[in-house]
Amino acid sequence: MFRFLSVLLIFCLTYNIQAQLPKKLNSAEIHHEIEKLNFFGSVLYVGAHPDDENTGMISYFANHTNARTAYLSLTRGDGGQNLIGPELREQLGVIRTQELLAARRVDGGEQFFTRANDFGYSKTPEETLQIWDKEKVLSDVVRTIRKFKPDIIINRFDHRTPGSTHGHHTASAMLSFKAFELAGKKDALKDQLESLGTFQPQKLFFNTSYWFYGGREAFEEADKSNFFEMEVGTYFPKLGLSNPEIAALSRSQHQSQGFGSTGSRGQSTEYLELLKGELPEKDIFEGIDTSWNRVESGAEIGEILEKVEKNFNFNKPGESLPQLLEAYSLIQKLDDNFWRELKTKQLKSIIAACAGLYLEATAENPSAVPGEQIAVQLEAINRSDAHVKLQSISLEPNNSKIHPQKTLKNNIDWQEAIALKIPSTASVSSPYWLEEETDNGMYKVNNPELIGLPENPASTQAKFKIDFNGTTITFVKPVVYKYNDAVLGETYRPFMIIPEVSVAFQDDIKIFENDNPRQISVKIESGRENVQGEIEFEIPSGWKITPQKRPFSLMQKGSSINLNFKITPPEEQDETYLKPVIKVNGKEYSKELVKIEYGHIPQQNLILPAKLKLARIKIDKKGEQIGYIKGAGDAVPESLEQIGYQVNMLSPSMISTATLKRFDAVVLGIRAYNTLEKLKYRQKALMDYVKNGGTLIVQYNTTGGLLLEDLAPYPLKISRDRVTDENSEVRFLAENHPILNYPNKITPTDFENWVQERGLYFPNEWSEEFTPILSMNDKDESPKNGSLLVAEYGEGYFIYTGLSFFRQFPAGVPGAYRLFANMISIGKE
């Protein structure tokens, strides 16, 4: 993927703006948390990807039933598309991880993952589990069950229907079904027992619907004797929202996938098919003690907290503090570690909210490097009549500490600055699952305590020790960065530890269409003041770089410099990587700092190995000027520029007969007919362009949400046909067609080293005017001949392709470039 270091979108939705702000509970929310505190049931919902979850079910259990609810997504969605930017693969996985966390902030659930990598669409669970490490993913599911301890597990998909849906989907249900049996066994996954012990959930369900039966009529006739029916269209007066409205807000956080959803009101029915355990009659938690009686010595605590819930004063929440503090002291005496830790965490947030206690630690800068010292501004305020004393505050990781011994009087703010020294051995802030280079199926995580977590635990934090009239409680707050934005006002960002110096190439890939030298640009950025050093490269054999090394000097923190070098490729076709080495004071640095910035999620920093793919491709082309109409977002325009085309970006409003006639070819980006509403009004101009001698290349569109019925000048029907095996055999149906012969002779070699897939959403019906060029299929499937279709129309050519060029170009696949050049060059012999 080509480099876009900073993309900032501002969204007006309240949940998006608040996503990065400290959570401040109002009285209704405090009471709701007390209700949750008094409920001991838990539910784990299991699916394969971000956006698989039923947000209505999660919200219902979290907000109506008051159960502790979580979603386990086996993957982070790395293999999907991106509708809001150019990030794909691991970077898209980071975005989708944060979108899931944003969704959980809306619907009240928690979030977990496994180490499974979303490698792309899979047609069977067998294929999925061959690419994933089946035993490791199963271990991760069991780990989540033993750690979260759900009474009820709900699978999003049916474990009994392999081949009927995405292989990841069915695999998630199969692994959940197996994990349900293993989690309670002492002889299963013994390496987890010392830290987690065993736990046996009581019930396992499949969240079925008419969709799984092929339609509403078939579902109405289905045997539902083993189903538990739930009405989840509840309205919450405290929140002013219905459950479906909350579910829609939650689902709308999946912005990279275009899942904006409109809320609804009224009844909404869900069906759960029982797979394990006893079928409940009225309450899904029948047979499970969900009161404080569930834990030994919990009855007394339950009596206190039931009175708090019943007598809660919405106008003066602080009146509940004496009883809450009494319950807190009793909870600390519980022998059950799991319930003691969980209920302590819940109760601490309620106590702070009832006291109007606001605690904050903000860094003077958004980032620091290992060994650097920065100032941290501390703030504490008590907005109740309770006797509250600030005893001490300590900063981690270096344990700087102050002892204010300050009584916090009602609504009198206290602030003080303290120095934070980042240890020289501190790790940089980057997603833990990306610390090591991943393989196709699994992320590598060496620390078992991190497995399953959605993101890194805060590495810099402040511990506020507060005395509530004799009861001492420690509150932990992450150190954050806060500033005032001229548009958004008070704005928060995560505080990051970054490298002393980072390096990035302007592009991810450099294509050489001949053996002429090309210039590359390298950006060096400082994480601290006064960085001086030298950059050189690990140069692969056959390639030359000039100059071989260069000194640099950066005097200010956050400053950067762009250095240019000249690369000369070998004469023969070759692919390799260029890696930089920066030397500063005897230390070597070769990592890139990637920043991902969108308005609906907190800023994310990734520290990744810096490398530039170099590809010497023997390629000929005809034509120079390309018009490109961007669809859902891809790096195809930049890729075409790499091989010497001049690419002009066109919006639908710019499309006209006069505008298009100067282009040698016009290319529509992926899913353009799914995402560009105005494009349907410009279809005639596009067809006239072809009729008058132009070449129009339309890349894949999905079957759902097509904005135009007739995409082509002749009948053509898109299907869900796809070939997911990137190594599947490609057969030539029209060996003598110009598109396979001019100006580049296409051979089977051109289909080697493709990534993730061959293509998707191929047409499966077309008129005789179209010539199918290629045939391919996955194992044990019929041939798919619609991946590349060409038709003459008037004086020009219309080309429709489902081949995934948008994935092959960023990976530098030579054959993909050569074939696309032929597509552009058609008719120009």
Side-chain angles (χ1 to χ4, degrees):
M1 183 176 61
F2 293 85
R3 188 75 55 229
F4 291 80
L5 290 180
S6 178
V7 183
L8 178 60
L9 300 178
I10 299 175
F11 299 93
C12 295
L13 185 64
T14 302
Y15 281 102
N16 291 345
I17 296 173
Q18 292 181 345
Q20 301 177 48
L21 299 178
K23 192 172 183 180
K24 305 169 188 176
L25 303 180
N26 58 41
S27 291
E29 291 169 328
I30 294 172
H31 189 257
H32 186 43
E33 292 302 314
I34 294 172
E35 292 174 326
K36 291 184 178 183
L37 179 67
N38 285 331
F39 192 87
F40 274 68
S42 55
V43 178
L44 180 66
Y45 200 90
V46 180
H49 311 104
D51 72 47
D52 281 346
E53 81 274 30
N54 184 333
T55 55
M57 292 286 286
I58 293 174
S59 175
Y60 180 84
F61 282 119
N63 298 303
H64 176 77
T65 309
N66 295 318
R68 187 182 179 215
T69 311
Y71 175 48
L72 171 60
S73 176
L74 266 62
T75 76
R76 297 177 185 267
D78 325 71
Q81 282 85 52
N82 186 358
L83 297 185
I84 62 173
E87 298 88 355
L88 292 175
R89 295 302 307 149
E90 288 81 5
Q91 293 185 34
L92 177 59
V94 172
I95 292 173
R96 299 188 72 183
T97 293
Q98 291 300 318
E99 288 178 336
L100 270 178
L101 289 172
R104 299 294 81 79
R105 285 192 289 269
V106 173
D107 59 37
E110 299 177 43
Q111 185 61 51
F112 298 103
F113 294 93
T114 73
R115 288 169 288 176
N117 186 350
D118 179 3
F119 55 83
Y121 192 89
S122 175
K123 294 183 176 178
T124 67
E126 291 77 18
E127 178 192 45
T128 297
L129 296 174
Q130 286 175 358
I131 297 175
W132 289 349
D133 187 321
K134 177 182 177 181
E135 296 307 316
K136 286 183 179 178
V137 182
L138 177 61
S139 170
D140 292 354
V141 179
V142 172
R143 176 181 293 276
T144 300
I145 294 172
R146 287 173 171 175
K147 185 176 182 179
F148 184 72
K149 302 188 186 305
D151 301 304
I152 297 166
I153 297 178
I154 301 174
N155 289 346
R156 185 68 182 100
F157 302 103
D158 191 348
H159 69 286
R160 300 158 297 190
T161 56
S164 64
T165 181
H166 197 321
H168 296 182
H169 292 168
T170 310
S172 72
M174 294 169 65
L175 293 171
S176 175
F177 190 90
K178 183 65 175 177
F180 182 93
E181 300 174 344
L182 296 178
K185 294 183 177 181
K186 292 184 177 179
D187 59 349
L189 299 163
K190 295 181 180 180
D191 60 309
Q192 300 178 3
L193 297 181
E194 184 177 347
S195 59
L196 299 175
T198 62
F199 181 78
Q200 182 57 58
Q202 298 302 301
K203 301 172 185 180
L204 175 65
F205 294 95
F206 159 47
N207 185 192
T208 190
S209 70
Y210 73 88
W211 189 87
F212 293 96
Y213 284 77
R216 295 182 184 275
E217 185 176 340
F219 186 64
E220 290 296 326
E221 297 175 357
D223 178 11
K224 298 184 179 63
S225 59
N226 201 37
F227 286 14
F228 181 70
E229 185 174 328
M230 295 178 63
E231 171 52 47
V232 300
T234 308
Y235 173 68
F236 302 111
K238 290 180 183 177
L239 304 177
L241 294 168
S242 69
N243 190 63
E245 287 174 315
I246 295 174
L249 288 170
S250 174
R251 188 154 184 79
S252 296
Q253 303 310 303
H254 296 294
Q255 295 183 12
S256 68
Q257 305 305 297
F259 279 123
S261 181
T262 300
S264 62
R265 289 141 294 280
Q267 293 184 335
S268 178
T269 306
E270 292 284 352
Y271 296 89
L272 301 178
E273 180 184 355
L274 183 71
L275 302 177
K276 297 278 187 179
E278 295 185 9
L279 184 68
E281 294 183 8
K282 296 182 178 180
D283 182 357
I284 196 170
F285 282 97
E286 283 175 13
I288 300 171
D289 190 347
T290 59
S291 72
W292 276 95
N293 293 325
R294 182 167 182 170
V295 59
E296 186 177 350
S297 304
E300 182 181 359
I301 302 170
E303 290 178 7
I304 295 170
L305 293 176
E306 284 175 14
K307 292 178 181 178
V308 171
E309 181 180 335
K310 182 179 180 181
N311 301 319
F312 185 74
N313 187 335
F314 286 84
N315 292 319
K316 294 184 178 181
E319 290 183 356
S320 298
L321 281 171
Q323 293 79 24
L324 293 172
L325 292 167
E326 181 183 3
Y328 178 87
S329 297
L330 292 173
I331 289 174
Q332 305 318 300
K333 299 176 183 178
L334 294 177
D335 292 329
D336 190 309
N337 292 336
F338 174 77
W339 290 114
R340 183 179 67 249
E341 292 177 7
L342 176 61
K343 293 302 175 181
T344 294
K345 181 180 179 181
Q346 291 177 323
L347 184 51
K348 282 169 65 172
S349 67
I350 293 170
I351 290 172
C354 284
L357 186 64
Y358 184 80
L359 305 172
E360 185 173 81
T362 57
E364 63 177 331
N365 294 315
S367 63
V369 303
E372 184 177 0
Q373 180 170 295
I374 62 169
V376 174
Q377 185 69 26
L378 304 171
E379 181 180 3
I381 187 170
N382 162 36
R383 290 167 288 189
S384 72
D385 293 328
H387 183 276
V388 178
K389 186 176 183 180
L390 176 60
Q391 291 187 333
S392 65
I393 306 172
S394 60
L395 296 182
E396 292 187 351
N398 72 318
N399 205 32
S400 299
K401 198 169 187 177
I402 59 173
H403 301 269
Q405 297 295 330
K406 175 73 173 179
T407 298
L408 301 177
K409 296 181 180 180
N410 191 347
N411 210 32
I412 304 298
D413 196 27
W414 174 91
Q415 295 191 38
E416 189 170 320
I418 184 175
L420 170 65
K421 176 71 178 294
I422 306 297
S424 58
T425 56
S427 299
V428 294
S429 303
S430 188
Y432 70 86
W433 63 94
L434 297 178
E435 287 183 2
E436 292 192 31
E437 203 158 341
T438 184
D439 58 28
N440 193 35
M442 298 291 294
Y443 285 115
K444 298 176 183 177
V445 181
N446 295 323
N447 184 352
E449 293 183 5
L450 294 176
I451 294 174
L453 297 182
E455 58 184 346
N456 298 37
S459 59
T460 53
Q461 53 191 15
K463 293 185 176 181
F464 294 80
K465 193 173 183 180
I466 307 292
D467 181 347
F468 291 90
N469 201 26
T471 302
T472 302
I473 302 177
T474 299
F475 297 90
V476 180
K477 298 290 182 180
V479 175
V480 296
Y481 175 66
K482 180 174 70 173
Y483 64 99
N484 183 71
D485 183 276
V487 176
L488 299 177
E490 186 178 52
T491 304
Y492 285 80
R493 285 172 49 180
F495 173 72
M496 304 284 190
I497 299 176
I498 62 174
E500 182 179 15
V501 61
S502 60
V503 56
F505 292 99
Q506 184 181 35
D507 304 303
D508 285 330
I509 182 171
K510 203 66 157 179
I511 303 295
F512 295 79
E513 57 179 310
N514 51 46
D515 56 8
N516 293 333
R518 295 192 65 184
Q519 181 176 284
I520 65 167
S521 182
V522 181
K523 180 181 179 181
I524 303 173
E525 186 172 353
S526 65
R528 62 167 177 82
E529 295 179 348
N530 192 22
V531 176
Q532 300 182 52
E534 187 177 63
I535 182 172
E536 58 185 47
F537 298 89
E538 295 180 4
I539 185 71
S541 176
W543 296 74
K544 296 179 182 178
I545 187 167
T546 308
Q548 294 185 355
K549 60 179 65 176
R550 287 184 65 174
F552 67 90
S553 178
L554 297 169
M555 304 309 295
Q556 295 182 339
K557 178 184 177 75
S559 61
S560 62
I561 186 172
N562 289 291
L563 301 177
N564 295 325
F565 297 83
K566 188 171 290 186
I567 298 286
T568 303
E571 293 184 4
E572 298 301 315
Q573 188 160 295
D574 187 36
E575 299 174 65
T576 189
Y577 284 96
L578 179 68
K579 299 179 181 179
V581 178
I582 290 180
K583 297 180 179 180
V584 177
N585 296 329
K587 296 180 180 180
E588 293 188 353
Y589 300 89
S590 58
K591 296 291 182 71
E592 172 186 5
L593 171 60
V594 179
K595 300 174 184 177
I596 299 177
E597 297 185 69
Y598 289 98
H600 65 303
I601 59 174
Q603 178 184 313
Q604 300 297 299
N605 278 6
L606 288 73
I607 311 299
L608 304 173
K611 57 184 180 180
L612 171 66
K613 183 165 186 178
L614 302 174
R616 166 69 171 98
I617 299 175
K618 289 194 172 183
I619 184 172
D620 293 315
K621 60 184 178 62
K622 298 297 179 180
E624 293 182 0
Q625 296 289 334
I626 305 295
Y628 199 91
I629 304 164
K630 208 170 187 69
D634 56 60
V636 173
E638 296 86 352
S639 301
L640 296 178
E641 288 176 340
Q642 285 263 17
I643 57 174
Y645 285 108
Q646 296 182 32
V647 180
N648 304 267
M649 303 304 296
L650 303 175
S651 65
S653 61
M654 297 168 63
I655 298 173
S656 68
T657 304
T659 301
L660 299 181
K661 68 180 182 180
R662 68 187 180 92
F663 296 120
D664 297 299
V666 173
V667 182
L668 269 64
I670 61 174
R671 297 176 66 178
Y673 284 114
N674 296 126
T675 59
L676 299 178
E677 177 74 25
K678 294 181 180 179
L679 193 58
K680 62 184 179 182
Y681 304 114
R682 305 293 178 174
Q683 184 70 355
K684 184 179 184 305
L686 289 170
M687 293 302 106
D688 286 345
Y689 164 73
V690 180
K691 196 172 185 178
N692 293 329
T695 298
L696 180 65
I697 300 171
V698 179
Q699 298 181 82
Y700 94 92
N701 292 268
T702 62
T703 54
L706 276 174
L707 301 171
L708 189 67
E709 186 174 340
D710 298 320
L711 307 185
Y714 308 112
L716 175 140
K717 183 178 180 181
I718 299 173
S719 73
R720 298 183 64 85
D721 287 352
R722 63 200 302 162
V723 177
T724 61
D725 182 358
E726 63 269 31
N727 298 311
S728 62
E729 179 190 5
V730 177
R731 301 172 294 275
F732 295 165
L733 298 175
E735 291 186 4
N736 296 323
H737 196 281
I739 213 164
L740 293 179
N741 293 278
Y742 182 82
N744 303 288
K745 177 68 175 177
I746 303 300
T747 71
T749 304
D750 289 298
F751 292 93
E752 293 178 358
N753 301 317
W754 281 48
V755 297
Q756 187 161 325
E757 61 196 356
R758 289 294 189 196
L760 62 170
Y761 292 99
F762 298 162
N764 64 351
E765 296 180 23
W766 51 85
S767 67
E768 62 182 10
E769 286 85 358
F770 284 101
T771 300
I773 305 298
L774 305 172
S775 179
M776 59 191 72
N777 56 272
D778 284 321
K779 184 180 179 181
D780 299 327
E781 289 192 354
S782 61
K784 305 296 184 290
N785 298 339
S787 65
L788 180 57
L789 302 174
V790 183
E792 292 186 45
Y793 179 62
E795 301 296 322
Y797 290 86
F798 177 92
I799 300 174
Y800 189 95
T801 179
L803 294 171
S804 59
F805 290 102
F806 72 102
R807 295 196 189 280
Q808 312 315 315
F809 284 171
V813 177
Y817 280 92
R818 286 162 47 83
L819 179 57
F820 209 96
N822 281 14
M823 291 160 57
I824 293 173
S825 303
I826 193 168
K828 301 176 179 62
E829 296 90 341

